[in-house]
Amino acid sequence: MAAAALSREGGEDAFRRLFRFYRQRDASDLRGVLDFSAPGGQVFRSQLSISSVSDQDAYRAGLQPVSQWKAYGLSGYPGFIFIPNPFLPGCQRHWVKQCLKLYPEKPNVCNLDLHMAPEKTTDLWGQSKEQLTRKGSSKWEPRSLLEKLRWVTLGYHYNWDTKKYSANHHTPFPSDLAFLSEQVAAACGFRGFQAQAGILNYYHFDSSLGIHVDESELDHSRPLLSFSFGQSSIFLLGGLKREEAPTAMFMHSGDIMVMSGFSRLLYHAVPRVLPNPEGTALPSCLDQALSSDLPVGSVIEHSSEEDWQVCAKYLQSSRINMTVRQVLAEGQKFPEESGTNGRDQAPSEDSHHENSKAKRHKPN
């Protein structure tokens, strides 16, 4: 009831008040948080473009046929689409492993590069896997490098200082993630989507993502895609101004969010990471093993049991979020002085940079 009262107040920085409410460790009133596993109220079924993605291409991306997906929209948020876990059994494991083992590798960029010598960050997985798997539950044990990972950038690398992308700071975008993104975008009505930039965020139970707008991309006509794995979180989706109170919703492992059209440039934040609602160390969807019979051309790879045990240990207290963007429209080029004034943020640890200083915050 307290959250509902706060959301009705409006006025100066209503978003910040609700962010702080959900950020509280002892916040017990989560009844106002939308759960798309039991939709109702302002939630309605959203239509997908089933014919735009063949069942074979969906299988190759590790997804169920689009005809079997459930998709929802929110009243007052045109262009927002929420797809509860459409992944085939075991396929989430591939993306978790990629985010922990492959995507942090050079030439991709991560937060550790800001304050560590290059040779120290060349193999985060190799340096961390033994330490991570033998760790107990004590908070006082030293963290592995993987546990210190906060963000990784892919493709056009986002510059946290200038809030811009540039033509001369680019590395090849992972082909498997590009294929997954293209299928999801096509199913949502965006055929021809090009995955050009990715920001991977790594959260722990003490992490949050401050209030921001993703506007640094030069083409806002294409959607922002968000994929979540591991523990759950509360996601706040607001309006065009911070005076508008946001809507709170749960994001669980495997859930996909698409922000397009009007919703593409709305304020949003993650105030809190929560244990998965099943009460188990990992969500049950991550307990499922991958089928041995993968389709021809599948981008999904089998993980060794050893690799998965490292990932599973990491996810017991963590959440991984992949966001994929198209930076440039077809045929568009970067101006010499690319001049958007983005307000993207990296996830913060032990604090929530939701005030005006957040826009100048240097990640980690």
Side-chain angles (χ1 to χ4, degrees):
M1 298 301 290
L6 282 172
S7 66
R8 286 193 298 268
E9 283 184 24
E12 186 177 357
D13 212 346
F15 201 131
R16 183 181 178 186
R17 285 200 303 272
L18 272 168
F19 184 101
R20 286 183 166 176
F21 174 83
Y22 286 115
R23 175 65 183 165
Q24 293 170 2
R25 288 271 165 242
D26 57 351
S28 57
D29 183 2
L30 299 182
R31 288 172 292 175
V33 183
L34 292 177
D35 194 335
F36 287 91
S37 63
Q42 69 185 109
V43 177
F44 59 88
R45 285 296 293 265
S46 183
Q47 296 299 312
L48 295 170
S49 181
I50 295 174
S51 62
S52 294
V53 180
S54 69
D55 290 355
Q56 183 69 11
D57 280 346
Y59 290 142
R60 288 176 58 206
L63 299 164
Q64 300 173 31
V66 177
S67 59
Q68 297 180 22
W69 298 9
K70 294 179 180 178
Y72 300 99
L74 282 177
S75 298
Y77 297 96
F80 176 79
I81 304 172
F82 193 103
I83 305 169
N85 184 15
F87 289 93
L88 290 167
C91 289
Q92 288 188 53
R93 293 187 174 190
H94 169 84
W95 303 108
V96 172
K97 184 194 72 174
Q98 297 296 80
C99 287
L100 292 175
K101 185 175 183 178
L102 182 65
Y103 297 159
E105 290 184 351
K106 299 292 172 283
N108 298 329
V109 182
C110 72
N111 61 289
L112 300 178
D113 297 325
L114 301 181
H115 54 87
M116 294 180 67
E119 62 271 15
K120 298 287 188 180
T121 61
T122 52
D123 184 15
L124 302 183
W125 176 270
Q127 296 184 66
S128 304
K129 59 182 182 179
E130 289 186 17
Q131 179 184 354
L132 190 58
T133 50
R134 66 169 182 263
K135 276 188 71 171
S137 57
S138 170
K139 291 183 179 179
W140 310 115
E141 294 184 62
R143 291 180 301 166
S144 64
L145 288 179
L146 274 182
E147 292 170 293
K148 295 179 181 179
L149 199 59
R150 290 293 171 266
W151 52 263
V152 169
T153 53
L154 311 171
Y156 286 115
H157 296 283
Y158 183 72
N159 186 312
W160 303 96
D161 291 325
T162 64
K163 313 299 183 189
K164 297 176 183 178
Y165 301 94
S166 65
N168 59 10
H169 196 195
H170 175 268
T171 57
F173 194 93
S175 59
D176 57 349
L177 182 53
F179 186 76
L180 169 69
S181 303
E182 289 159 9
Q183 308 319 306
V184 172
C188 294
F190 295 95
R191 298 186 73 166
F193 175 84
Q194 299 177 46
Q196 296 175 335
I199 298 178
L200 315 179
N201 288 333
Y202 301 80
Y203 299 83
H204 307 296
F205 285 135
D206 53 3
S207 302
S208 64
L209 181 66
I211 304 165
H212 69 287
V213 176
D214 291 290
E215 61 182 3
S216 297
E217 296 73 30
L218 275 64
D219 179 20
H220 296 153
S221 68
R222 311 303 276 172
L224 175 88
L225 310 180
S226 171
F227 305 85
S228 290
F229 305 105
Q231 301 300 324
S232 300
S233 70
I234 295 174
F235 179 80
L236 298 179
L237 181 63
L240 295 171
K241 299 178 181 179
R242 287 172 63 134
E243 290 81 2
E244 299 176 52
T247 296
M249 62 197 78
F250 287 114
M251 290 191 69
H252 303 304
S253 192
D255 290 349
I256 300 174
M257 285 194 322
V258 178
M259 297 173 68
S260 68
F262 172 81
S263 295
R264 176 64 177 79
L265 296 174
L266 298 183
Y267 278 98
H268 54 280
V270 177
R272 192 172 176 195
V273 176
L274 301 164
N276 90 83
E278 300 171 62
T280 52
L282 290 181
S284 57
C285 59
L286 290 170
D287 289 336
Q288 300 166 301
L290 187 63
S291 168
S292 58
D293 186 23
L294 293 173
V296 175
S298 175
V299 301
I300 303 297
E301 300 173 344
H302 285 96
S303 299
S304 69
E305 186 59 29
E306 178 187 8
D307 280 357
W308 175 244
Q309 289 309 313
V310 177
C311 295
K313 184 72 173 182
Y314 177 90
L315 288 182
Q316 285 180 12
S317 60
S318 305
R319 168 183 177 256
I320 298 172
N321 178 250
M322 308 188 301
T323 60
V324 180
R325 309 111 188 279
Q326 179 169 334
V327 178
L328 301 167
E330 186 74 34
Q332 187 178 19
K333 295 182 179 180
F334 287 102
E336 288 186 17
E337 294 287 335
S338 55
T340 57
N341 197 13
R343 287 169 281 178
D344 305 58
Q345 287 188 324
S348 59
E349 182 183 11
D350 299 322
S351 62
H352 48 93
H353 302 283
E354 84 288 9
N355 55 30
S356 60
K357 293 181 182 177
K359 299 175 186 177
R360 299 188 298 274
H361 173 65
K362 188 173 182 179
N364 212 42

